[in-house]
Amino acid sequence: MSETKFAETREELSQGLKAAMRRMPGAVALITTRDPANGQPAGLAASAVIPVSMDPPSMLIAINRSASAHAAIERAGRYCVNLLGTTQTALVGLFSNSALREKRFESAEWAYKDGIPYLPTACSSIFCEIRNTVIHGTHELFIGDVYDVRGGSGDGADPLGWMEGTFAQLGRLEAI
C-alpha cells in the first residue's frame, strides 16, 4: 500500500471511528488531582473513564498528553474520578475551557481528601493511585488502584452522559 493511500485510509478510519464513538454513550467525569510541583489543584473533564478490574479494584483514565492537567496527574501519582450528575453540567464548561482554568476550584462545593479535590455532590468520587501507564498516540492511559470511594449525595440526579457531541441523561430503563 502506498504511503499516500495509507494516510487516506488512516484518515478515513479516524473519521469513521469518531462517528461510531459519537453514538456510544459515556459517563462524564471530572478528573482531579493536586500538583505537587506547585501545590495547586488541577483537573479536566473526561469521558474516557472505565473500570479495569474489581480485583484489585482499579480505574483507567485516558488523558491527552497536551492537556494541562496531564503533567500534574503524572507528577502526583494519584487522581480522583468525579462522576457527575445531570445537575452538574455547568462544571463541564469550566473544566473544558483552558481560559477558565483559574476558576475551576473557586466554588465552595469542593472538598479535599489527602490533598486531592473532590465533589461530595458527585454521583461518586473514586480515588486512585497510579499503578501502570501506557502511552498510545496522543494519549496516556493511567491505570490506578482504587483506595477510596465516596458515594456522594448526587442530589438525586441521574448520571451525566455524553453522546452525539452533547449531554445525555443516563438512567435505568423500566423493566420489560
Side-chain angles (χ1 to χ4, degrees):
M1 184 182 294
S2 73
E3 191 66 34
T4 303
K5 182 64 176 166
F6 179 74
E8 289 172 6
T9 302
R10 188 173 191 157
E11 180 59 28
E12 289 171 7
L13 286 172
S14 179
Q15 292 304 315
L17 180 59
K18 284 179 188 176
M21 297 291 50
R22 286 177 60 90
R23 298 288 302 145
M24 186 173 109
V28 179
L30 298 181
I31 310 301
T32 56
T33 194
R34 184 186 60 77
D35 190 341
N38 60 18
Q40 296 300 308
L44 68 149
S47 59
V49 174
I50 61 170
V52 176
S53 171
M54 294 305 135
D55 187 17
S58 51
M59 292 289 294
L60 178 146
I61 57 174
I63 306 295
N64 191 311
R65 292 186 291 152
S66 67
S68 61
H70 174 270
I73 293 167
E74 198 170 44
R75 284 189 291 267
R78 296 181 299 155
Y79 57 87
C80 182
V81 177
N82 296 276
L83 297 172
L84 299 182
T86 54
T87 61
Q88 298 173 311
T89 57
L91 288 169
V92 178
L94 276 176
F95 280 77
S96 298
N97 184 340
S98 60
L100 301 175
R101 188 175 298 128
E102 299 302 319
K103 298 178 186 271
R104 291 177 180 171
F105 296 96
E106 285 182 350
S107 167
E109 63 187 306
W110 289 99
Y112 290 81
K113 175 178 174 37
D114 302 328
I116 297 176
Y118 75 98
L119 283 169
T121 57
C123 290
S124 296
S125 297
I126 305 164
F127 294 85
C128 302
E129 186 170 353
I130 297 171
R131 289 292 175 233
N132 294 298
T133 64
V134 175
I135 294 175
H136 188 80
T138 58
H139 283 63
E140 185 163 6
L141 310 178
F142 294 94
I143 300 171
D145 286 347
V146 174
Y147 68 88
D148 193 13
V149 178
R150 302 284 169 114
S153 68
D155 293 333
D158 284 330
L160 181 61
W162 188 255
M163 190 173 93
E164 292 287 342
T166 191
F167 295 118
Q169 184 171 344
L170 303 176
R172 296 180 188 183
L173 291 175
E174 294 297 321
I176 298 175

PDB file of all heavy atoms in Angstrom, residues 122-153:
ATOM      1  N   ALA A 122     -21.047  14.825  43.741  1.00  0.00           N
ATOM      2  CA  ALA A 122     -20.969  13.989  42.542  1.00  0.00           C
ATOM      3  C   ALA A 122     -21.708  12.676  42.788  1.00  0.00           C
ATOM      4  O   ALA A 122     -21.913  12.278  43.940  1.00  0.00           O
ATOM      5  CB  ALA A 122     -19.513  13.709  42.177  1.00  0.00           C
ATOM      6  N   CYS A 123     -22.086  12.002  41.719  1.00  0.00           N
ATOM      7  CA  CYS A 123     -22.711  10.676  41.882  1.00  0.00           C
ATOM      8  C   CYS A 123     -21.771   9.762  42.652  1.00  0.00           C
ATOM      9  O   CYS A 123     -22.202   9.010  43.514  1.00  0.00           O
ATOM     10  CB  CYS A 123     -23.036  10.074  40.522  1.00  0.00           C
ATOM     11  SG  CYS A 123     -24.383  10.910  39.667  1.00  0.00           S
ATOM     12  N   SER A 124     -20.481   9.827  42.327  1.00  0.00           N
ATOM     13  CA  SER A 124     -19.435   9.094  43.044  1.00  0.00           C
ATOM     14  C   SER A 124     -18.102   9.795  42.829  1.00  0.00           C
ATOM     15  O   SER A 124     -17.887  10.417  41.789  1.00  0.00           O
ATOM     16  CB  SER A 124     -19.296   7.656  42.535  1.00  0.00           C
ATOM     17  OG  SER A 124     -20.455   6.912  42.786  1.00  0.00           O
ATOM     18  N   SER A 125     -17.230   9.672  43.804  1.00  0.00           N
ATOM     19  CA  SER A 125     -15.855  10.140  43.685  1.00  0.00           C
ATOM     20  C   SER A 125     -14.954   8.962  43.995  1.00  0.00           C
ATOM     21  O   SER A 125     -15.048   8.365  45.072  1.00  0.00           O
ATOM     22  CB  SER A 125     -15.580  11.292  44.649  1.00  0.00           C
ATOM     23  OG  SER A 125     -16.394  12.405  44.330  1.00  0.00           O
ATOM     24  N   ILE A 126     -14.096   8.626  43.029  1.00  0.00           N
ATOM     25  CA  ILE A 126     -13.273   7.419  43.121  1.00  0.00           C
ATOM     26  C   ILE A 126     -11.812   7.828  43.155  1.00  0.00           C
ATOM     27  O   ILE A 126     -11.294   8.389  42.186  1.00  0.00           O
ATOM     28  CB  ILE A 126     -13.554   6.490  41.919  1.00  0.00           C
ATOM     29  CG1 ILE A 126     -15.061   6.185  41.822  1.00  0.00           C
ATOM     30  CG2 ILE A 126     -12.730   5.214  42.018  1.00  0.00           C
ATOM     31  CD1 ILE A 126     -15.492   5.617  40.486  1.00  0.00           C
ATOM     32  N   PHE A 127     -11.140   7.557  44.262  1.00  0.00           N
ATOM     33  CA  PHE A 127      -9.740   7.939  44.449  1.00  0.00           C
ATOM     34  C   PHE A 127      -8.818   6.806  44.029  1.00  0.00           C
ATOM     35  O   PHE A 127      -9.017   5.656  44.455  1.00  0.00           O
ATOM     36  CB  PHE A 127      -9.480   8.290  45.916  1.00  0.00           C
ATOM     37  CG  PHE A 127     -10.219   9.516  46.368  1.00  0.00           C
ATOM     38  CD1 PHE A 127     -11.530   9.429  46.812  1.00  0.00           C
ATOM     39  CD2 PHE A 127      -9.605  10.754  46.335  1.00  0.00           C
ATOM     40  CE1 PHE A 127     -12.223  10.553  47.222  1.00  0.00           C
ATOM     41  CE2 PHE A 127     -10.282  11.890  46.750  1.00  0.00           C
ATOM     42  CZ  PHE A 127     -11.595  11.793  47.192  1.00  0.00           C
ATOM     43  N   CYS A 128      -7.828   7.135  43.216  1.00  0.00           N
ATOM     44  CA  CYS A 128      -6.934   6.122  42.661  1.00  0.00           C
ATOM     45  C   CYS A 128      -5.472   6.510  42.809  1.00  0.00           C
ATOM     46  O   CYS A 128      -5.122   7.690  42.745  1.00  0.00           O
ATOM     47  CB  CYS A 128      -7.212   5.935  41.165  1.00  0.00           C
ATOM     48  SG  CYS A 128      -8.911   5.470  40.787  1.00  0.00           S
ATOM     49  N   GLU A 129      -4.641   5.491  42.973  1.00  0.00           N
ATOM     50  CA  GLU A 129      -3.186   5.656  42.960  1.00  0.00           C
ATOM     51  C   GLU A 129      -2.671   4.948  41.713  1.00  0.00           C
ATOM     52  O   GLU A 129      -2.985   3.775  41.477  1.00  0.00           O
ATOM     53  CB  GLU A 129      -2.566   5.044  44.215  1.00  0.00           C
ATOM     54  CG  GLU A 129      -1.091   5.320  44.317  1.00  0.00           C
ATOM     55  CD  GLU A 129      -0.523   4.922  45.673  1.00  0.00           C
ATOM     56  OE1 GLU A 129      -1.303   4.560  46.581  1.00  0.00           O
ATOM     57  OE2 GLU A 129       0.705   4.964  45.809  1.00  0.00           O
ATOM     58  N   ILE A 130      -1.893   5.672  40.914  1.00  0.00           N
ATOM     59  CA  ILE A 130      -1.431   5.143  39.628  1.00  0.00           C
ATOM     60  C   ILE A 130      -0.526   3.935  39.833  1.00  0.00           C
ATOM     61  O   ILE A 130       0.420   3.969  40.614  1.00  0.00           O
ATOM     62  CB  ILE A 130      -0.696   6.226  38.815  1.00  0.00           C
ATOM     63  CG1 ILE A 130      -1.663   7.364  38.472  1.00  0.00           C
ATOM     64  CG2 ILE A 130      -0.088   5.635  37.538  1.00  0.00           C
ATOM     65  CD1 ILE A 130      -1.000   8.577  37.870  1.00  0.00           C
ATOM     66  N   ARG A 131      -0.842   2.851  39.099  1.00  0.00           N
ATOM     67  CA  ARG A 131      -0.044   1.621  39.125  1.00  0.00           C
ATOM     68  C   ARG A 131       0.640   1.350  37.791  1.00  0.00           C
ATOM     69  O   ARG A 131       1.734   0.812  37.750  1.00  0.00           O
ATOM     70  CB  ARG A 131      -0.914   0.413  39.482  1.00  0.00           C
ATOM     71  CG  ARG A 131      -1.346   0.393  40.891  1.00  0.00           C
ATOM     72  CD  ARG A 131      -0.150   0.167  41.826  1.00  0.00           C
ATOM     73  NE  ARG A 131      -0.592   0.280  43.187  1.00  0.00           N
ATOM     74  CZ  ARG A 131      -0.035   1.065  44.088  1.00  0.00           C
ATOM     75  NH1 ARG A 131       1.001   1.802  43.781  1.00  0.00           N
ATOM     76  NH2 ARG A 131      -0.497   1.120  45.307  1.00  0.00           N
ATOM     77  N   ASN A 132      -0.034   1.691  36.686  1.00  0.00           N
ATOM     78  CA  ASN A 132       0.521   1.444  35.348  1.00  0.00           C
ATOM     79  C   ASN A 132       0.148   2.588  34.426  1.00  0.00           C
ATOM     80  O   ASN A 132      -0.898   3.218  34.602  1.00  0.00           O
ATOM     81  CB  ASN A 132      -0.043   0.144  34.741  1.00  0.00           C
ATOM     82  CG  ASN A 132       0.394  -1.069  35.512  1.00  0.00           C
ATOM     83  OD1 ASN A 132       1.569  -1.347  35.605  1.00  0.00           O
ATOM     84  ND2 ASN A 132      -0.576  -1.796  36.059  1.00  0.00           N
ATOM     85  N   THR A 133       0.998   2.812  33.428  1.00  0.00           N
ATOM     86  CA  THR A 133       0.690   3.786  32.385  1.00  0.00           C
ATOM     87  C   THR A 133       1.074   3.203  31.031  1.00  0.00           C
ATOM     88  O   THR A 133       1.975   2.361  30.941  1.00  0.00           O
ATOM     89  CB  THR A 133       1.447   5.112  32.581  1.00  0.00           C
ATOM     90  OG1 THR A 133       2.840   4.876  32.471  1.00  0.00           O
ATOM     91  CG2 THR A 133       1.127   5.747  33.923  1.00  0.00           C
ATOM     92  N   VAL A 134       0.356   3.644  30.013  1.00  0.00           N
ATOM     93  CA  VAL A 134       0.651   3.251  28.638  1.00  0.00           C
ATOM     94  C   VAL A 134       0.464   4.489  27.770  1.00  0.00           C
ATOM     95  O   VAL A 134      -0.594   5.136  27.843  1.00  0.00           O
ATOM     96  CB  VAL A 134      -0.304   2.142  28.141  1.00  0.00           C
ATOM     97  CG1 VAL A 134      -0.060   1.827  26.673  1.00  0.00           C
ATOM     98  CG2 VAL A 134      -0.175   0.890  28.992  1.00  0.00           C
ATOM     99  N   ILE A 135       1.471   4.808  26.987  1.00  0.00           N
ATOM    100  CA  ILE A 135       1.334   5.907  26.032  1.00  0.00           C
ATOM    101  C   ILE A 135       0.933   5.297  24.700  1.00  0.00           C
ATOM    102  O   ILE A 135       1.558   4.351  24.211  1.00  0.00           O
ATOM    103  CB  ILE A 135       2.648   6.701  25.898  1.00  0.00           C
ATOM    104  CG1 ILE A 135       2.960   7.408  27.217  1.00  0.00           C
ATOM    105  CG2 ILE A 135       2.553   7.696  24.740  1.00  0.00           C
ATOM    106  CD1 ILE A 135       4.282   8.132  27.244  1.00  0.00           C
ATOM    107  N   HIS A 136      -0.130   5.861  24.124  1.00  0.00           N
ATOM    108  CA  HIS A 136      -0.583   5.405  22.814  1.00  0.00           C
ATOM    109  C   HIS A 136      -1.073   6.619  22.040  1.00  0.00           C
ATOM    110  O   HIS A 136      -2.052   7.258  22.442  1.00  0.00           O
ATOM    111  CB  HIS A 136      -1.694   4.363  22.943  1.00  0.00           C
ATOM    112  CG  HIS A 136      -2.037   3.732  21.638  1.00  0.00           C
ATOM    113  ND1 HIS A 136      -1.286   2.721  21.104  1.00  0.00           N
ATOM    114  CD2 HIS A 136      -3.021   3.994  20.748  1.00  0.00           C
ATOM    115  CE1 HIS A 136      -1.794   2.368  19.943  1.00  0.00           C
ATOM    116  NE2 HIS A 136      -2.855   3.138  19.702  1.00  0.00           N
ATOM    117  N   GLY A 137      -0.390   6.947  20.972  1.00  0.00           N
ATOM    118  CA  GLY A 137      -0.768   8.105  20.171  1.00  0.00           C
ATOM    119  C   GLY A 137      -0.730   9.375  20.990  1.00  0.00           C
ATOM    120  O   GLY A 137       0.245   9.659  21.682  1.00  0.00           O
ATOM    121  N   THR A 138      -1.803  10.123  20.941  1.00  0.00           N
ATOM    122  CA  THR A 138      -1.877  11.421  21.618  1.00  0.00           C
ATOM    123  C   THR A 138      -2.171  11.311  23.105  1.00  0.00           C
ATOM    124  O   THR A 138      -2.092  12.308  23.821  1.00  0.00           O
ATOM    125  CB  THR A 138      -2.986  12.286  20.991  1.00  0.00           C
ATOM    126  OG1 THR A 138      -4.229  11.574  21.090  1.00  0.00           O
ATOM    127  CG2 THR A 138      -2.680  12.612  19.541  1.00  0.00           C
ATOM    128  N   HIS A 139      -2.517  10.113  23.583  1.00  0.00           N
ATOM    129  CA  HIS A 139      -2.986   9.955  24.956  1.00  0.00           C
ATOM    130  C   HIS A 139      -2.072   9.071  25.807  1.00  0.00           C
ATOM    131  O   HIS A 139      -1.322   8.258  25.295  1.00  0.00           O
ATOM    132  CB  HIS A 139      -4.394   9.360  24.950  1.00  0.00           C
ATOM    133  CG  HIS A 139      -5.440  10.362  24.598  1.00  0.00           C
ATOM    134  ND1 HIS A 139      -5.482  10.996  23.383  1.00  0.00           N
ATOM    135  CD2 HIS A 139      -6.487  10.835  25.302  1.00  0.00           C
ATOM    136  CE1 HIS A 139      -6.511  11.828  23.358  1.00  0.00           C
ATOM    137  NE2 HIS A 139      -7.141  11.744  24.519  1.00  0.00           N
ATOM    138  N   GLU A 140      -2.200   9.267  27.107  1.00  0.00           N
ATOM    139  CA  GLU A 140      -1.578   8.367  28.066  1.00  0.00           C
ATOM    140  C   GLU A 140      -2.693   7.751  28.895  1.00  0.00           C
ATOM    141  O   GLU A 140      -3.596   8.446  29.355  1.00  0.00           O
ATOM    142  CB  GLU A 140      -0.585   9.094  28.971  1.00  0.00           C
ATOM    143  CG  GLU A 140       0.151   8.146  29.891  1.00  0.00           C
ATOM    144  CD  GLU A 140       1.410   8.742  30.512  1.00  0.00           C
ATOM    145  OE1 GLU A 140       1.677   9.937  30.322  1.00  0.00           O
ATOM    146  OE2 GLU A 140       2.117   7.985  31.196  1.00  0.00           O
ATOM    147  N   LEU A 141      -2.629   6.434  29.039  1.00  0.00           N
ATOM    148  CA  LEU A 141      -3.599   5.715  29.852  1.00  0.00           C
ATOM    149  C   LEU A 141      -3.008   5.553  31.247  1.00  0.00           C
ATOM    150  O   LEU A 141      -1.896   5.049  31.402  1.00  0.00           O
ATOM    151  CB  LEU A 141      -3.889   4.342  29.255  1.00  0.00           C
ATOM    152  CG  LEU A 141      -4.241   4.312  27.769  1.00  0.00           C
ATOM    153  CD1 LEU A 141      -4.452   2.879  27.314  1.00  0.00           C
ATOM    154  CD2 LEU A 141      -5.441   5.172  27.474  1.00  0.00           C
ATOM    155  N   PHE A 142      -3.754   6.001  32.230  1.00  0.00           N
ATOM    156  CA  PHE A 142      -3.342   5.855  33.618  1.00  0.00           C
ATOM    157  C   PHE A 142      -4.262   4.815  34.251  1.00  0.00           C
ATOM    158  O   PHE A 142      -5.476   5.008  34.287  1.00  0.00           O
ATOM    159  CB  PHE A 142      -3.484   7.169  34.382  1.00  0.00           C
ATOM    160  CG  PHE A 142      -2.559   8.258  33.926  1.00  0.00           C
ATOM    161  CD1 PHE A 142      -2.970   9.200  32.989  1.00  0.00           C
ATOM    162  CD2 PHE A 142      -1.280   8.348  34.435  1.00  0.00           C
ATOM    163  CE1 PHE A 142      -2.133  10.215  32.577  1.00  0.00           C
ATOM    164  CE2 PHE A 142      -0.422   9.355  34.028  1.00  0.00           C
ATOM    165  CZ  PHE A 142      -0.851  10.294  33.092  1.00  0.00           C
ATOM    166  N   ILE A 143      -3.695   3.730  34.737  1.00  0.00           N
ATOM    167  CA  ILE A 143      -4.471   2.718  35.444  1.00  0.00           C
ATOM    168  C   ILE A 143      -4.150   2.879  36.923  1.00  0.00           C
ATOM    169  O   ILE A 143      -2.994   2.763  37.335  1.00  0.00           O
ATOM    170  CB  ILE A 143      -4.139   1.297  34.972  1.00  0.00           C
ATOM    171  CG1 ILE A 143      -4.436   1.160  33.477  1.00  0.00           C
ATOM    172  CG2 ILE A 143      -4.926   0.267  35.790  1.00  0.00           C
ATOM    173  CD1 ILE A 143      -3.952  -0.116  32.854  1.00  0.00           C
ATOM    174  N   GLY A 144      -5.181   3.165  37.693  1.00  0.00           N
ATOM    175  CA  GLY A 144      -4.983   3.405  39.112  1.00  0.00           C
ATOM    176  C   GLY A 144      -5.734   2.420  39.970  1.00  0.00           C
ATOM    177  O   GLY A 144      -6.878   2.053  39.666  1.00  0.00           O
ATOM    178  N   ASP A 145      -5.076   1.967  41.033  1.00  0.00           N
ATOM    179  CA  ASP A 145      -5.744   1.134  42.028  1.00  0.00           C
ATOM    180  C   ASP A 145      -6.622   2.040  42.895  1.00  0.00           C
ATOM    181  O   ASP A 145      -6.165   3.090  43.369  1.00  0.00           O
ATOM    182  CB  ASP A 145      -4.730   0.406  42.912  1.00  0.00           C
ATOM    183  CG  ASP A 145      -4.052  -0.742  42.190  1.00  0.00           C
ATOM    184  OD1 ASP A 145      -4.519  -1.143  41.109  1.00  0.00           O
ATOM    185  OD2 ASP A 145      -3.038  -1.240  42.717  1.00  0.00           O
ATOM    186  N   VAL A 146      -7.859   1.660  43.092  1.00  0.00           N
ATOM    187  CA  VAL A 146      -8.801   2.440  43.881  1.00  0.00           C
ATOM    188  C   VAL A 146      -8.453   2.278  45.360  1.00  0.00           C
ATOM    189  O   VAL A 146      -8.293   1.160  45.849  1.00  0.00           O
ATOM    190  CB  VAL A 146     -10.248   1.983  43.610  1.00  0.00           C
ATOM    191  CG1 VAL A 146     -11.235   2.693  44.532  1.00  0.00           C
ATOM    192  CG2 VAL A 146     -10.597   2.180  42.145  1.00  0.00           C
ATOM    193  N   TYR A 147      -8.328   3.413  46.064  1.00  0.00           N
ATOM    194  CA  TYR A 147      -8.062   3.329  47.500  1.00  0.00           C
ATOM    195  C   TYR A 147      -9.166   3.949  48.347  1.00  0.00           C
ATOM    196  O   TYR A 147      -9.166   3.820  49.576  1.00  0.00           O
ATOM    197  CB  TYR A 147      -6.685   3.900  47.869  1.00  0.00           C
ATOM    198  CG  TYR A 147      -6.517   5.391  47.696  1.00  0.00           C
ATOM    199  CD1 TYR A 147      -6.852   6.272  48.718  1.00  0.00           C
ATOM    200  CD2 TYR A 147      -6.000   5.921  46.523  1.00  0.00           C
ATOM    201  CE1 TYR A 147      -6.664   7.636  48.577  1.00  0.00           C
ATOM    202  CE2 TYR A 147      -5.811   7.269  46.369  1.00  0.00           C
ATOM    203  CZ  TYR A 147      -6.159   8.126  47.398  1.00  0.00           C
ATOM    204  OH  TYR A 147      -5.983   9.487  47.240  1.00  0.00           O
ATOM    205  N   ASP A 148     -10.159   4.596  47.699  1.00  0.00           N
ATOM    206  CA  ASP A 148     -11.314   5.100  48.433  1.00  0.00           C
ATOM    207  C   ASP A 148     -12.416   5.420  47.423  1.00  0.00           C
ATOM    208  O   ASP A 148     -12.120   5.804  46.287  1.00  0.00           O
ATOM    209  CB  ASP A 148     -10.976   6.356  49.242  1.00  0.00           C
ATOM    210  CG  ASP A 148     -12.046   6.726  50.264  1.00  0.00           C
ATOM    211  OD1 ASP A 148     -12.939   5.890  50.541  1.00  0.00           O
ATOM    212  OD2 ASP A 148     -12.004   7.845  50.795  1.00  0.00           O
ATOM    213  N   VAL A 149     -13.670   5.254  47.853  1.00  0.00           N
ATOM    214  CA  VAL A 149     -14.823   5.612  47.040  1.00  0.00           C
ATOM    215  C   VAL A 149     -15.777   6.375  47.942  1.00  0.00           C
ATOM    216  O   VAL A 149     -16.132   5.901  49.027  1.00  0.00           O
ATOM    217  CB  VAL A 149     -15.530   4.366  46.462  1.00  0.00           C
ATOM    218  CG1 VAL A 149     -16.768   4.785  45.658  1.00  0.00           C
ATOM    219  CG2 VAL A 149     -14.589   3.545  45.606  1.00  0.00           C
ATOM    220  N   ARG A 150     -16.159   7.538  47.492  1.00  0.00           N
ATOM    221  CA  ARG A 150     -17.141   8.347  48.207  1.00  0.00           C
ATOM    222  C   ARG A 150     -18.413   8.330  47.376  1.00  0.00           C
ATOM    223  O   ARG A 150     -18.374   8.665  46.192  1.00  0.00           O
ATOM    224  CB  ARG A 150     -16.658   9.796  48.379  1.00  0.00           C
ATOM    225  CG  ARG A 150     -15.327   9.931  49.113  1.00  0.00           C
ATOM    226  CD  ARG A 150     -15.547   9.723  50.598  1.00  0.00           C
ATOM    227  NE  ARG A 150     -14.311   9.574  51.318  1.00  0.00           N
ATOM    228  CZ  ARG A 150     -13.854  10.444  52.213  1.00  0.00           C
ATOM    229  NH1 ARG A 150     -14.492  11.558  52.442  1.00  0.00           N
ATOM    230  NH2 ARG A 150     -12.736  10.195  52.851  1.00  0.00           N
ATOM    231  N   GLY A 151     -19.521   7.912  48.003  1.00  0.00           N
ATOM    232  CA  GLY A 151     -20.770   7.774  47.273  1.00  0.00           C
ATOM    233  C   GLY A 151     -21.356   9.076  46.796  1.00  0.00           C
ATOM    234  O   GLY A 151     -21.949   9.148  45.740  1.00  0.00           O
ATOM    235  N   GLY A 152     -21.147  10.129  47.554  1.00  0.00           N
ATOM    236  CA  GLY A 152     -21.717  11.415  47.176  1.00  0.00           C
ATOM    237  C   GLY A 152     -23.227  11.394  47.267  1.00  0.00           C
ATOM    238  O   GLY A 152     -23.855  10.349  47.187  1.00  0.00           O
ATOM    239  N   SER A 153     -23.796  12.544  47.430  1.00  0.00           N
ATOM    240  CA  SER A 153     -25.255  12.627  47.510  1.00  0.00           C
ATOM    241  C   SER A 153     -25.871  12.560  46.129  1.00  0.00           C
ATOM    242  O   SER A 153     -26.986  12.107  45.964  1.00  0.00           O
ATOM    243  CB  SER A 153     -25.671  13.928  48.202  1.00  0.00           C
ATOM    244  OG  SER A 153     -25.346  15.029  47.373  1.00  0.00           O
TER     245      SER A 153
END
